[in-house]
Amino acid sequence: MKPTDEPTVQQLFDLKGKTVLISGASGYLGGAMARGLAEAGARLVISSRDRSRAEQTASELPDPHQVNHLGVALDHMQEASIDEGFANAVKAAGQIDVLVNNGNDPVGEDWRSVTADAFSRHLQNATGYFLLARKLRDHVVERQAAGCVIMIGSMYGVVGSYPEAYEGICNASPVAYHTMKGGLIHQTRHLAVYWAKDNVRVNCLSPGPFPSEAAPDGLAARLSEHSPMGRMGKPSELKGAAVFLASDASSYITGQNLLVDGGWTAW
């Protein structure tokens, strides 16, 4: 390819003409990623258990190209809701090109008190991610188009946490959460290998410490002590990574886990 024929950086990161289905976009980090994708030109389909909440979130997103973002009801913890919600998303938007699996049904108990039922339910998040990813894969293959899946993992799918970071402040980081996020990272690799021939890329974006204002008092300061950069992440610092993985800027990247963690896992 001659240099004059290659796409520019602006073209590589441009998401105009792409439709992105993202779950959990009304949340602290999901909202920032959704705004970044919208600012890059994508049309967003926001999913939530509550359709009105999804539609409200969609209406508040930037819309520089007047693409009219949409909201649909979809509970990634329920297979029937996944089937119905994905079908409704396709019907409303016409097509889905990118899936961001960001929704999370949390678990609060740590290893001392978590029950078998609570542990198993949290793992259901990974099941929902897979079922939605398969829906996206089948949809784009049927259209003979390219597709992209972004799993949202965590630094805690890669490393264990520091017990002293939580001691005296709140429960330890939940073992079920670590187990689920670690599984998602490997699910990413597995699906990427199988779906590469289908022109479907699968990558994982793993945030590091991004506590919200609702975090227990003192936790951010305690966590900052264990960060090479000495601070917590800002939600806007996930926008570039999300756009990168969703766009042609990462067209030769699949099966990877991109850590945005301020160096936490580099220790």
Side-chain angles (χ1 to χ4, degrees), residues 102-141:
N102 174 66
N104 180 56
D105 190 278
V107 61
E109 301 87 356
D110 65 9
W111 62 267
R112 298 174 179 84
S113 58
V114 65
T115 64
D117 286 345
F119 195 106
S120 295
R121 176 169 176 80
H122 196 63
L123 297 185
Q124 183 71 23
N125 282 288
T127 304
Y129 277 26
F130 163 67
L131 293 175
L132 268 171
R134 187 169 63 182
K135 286 286 184 185
L136 185 281
R137 179 262 172 206
D138 292 348
H139 168 66
V140 297
V141 167

Side-chain angles (χ1 to χ4, degrees), residues 24 26 34 52 68-69 73 84 108 114-115 198 213 226 248:
S26 62
S52 62
N68 297 320
H69 307 300
E84 182 178 3
V114 65
T115 64
D198 298 322
E213 294 179 355
H226 296 284
D248 287 342

Side-chain angles (χ1 to χ4, degrees), residues 6 14 23 58 68 98 105 125 146 168 170 173 179 183 189 191 196 215 236 249:
E6 69 184 16
D14 189 357
S23 60
N68 297 320
V98 179
D105 190 278
N125 282 288
C170 60
S173 181
T179 305
R189 300 185 185 108
L191 297 181
S236 61

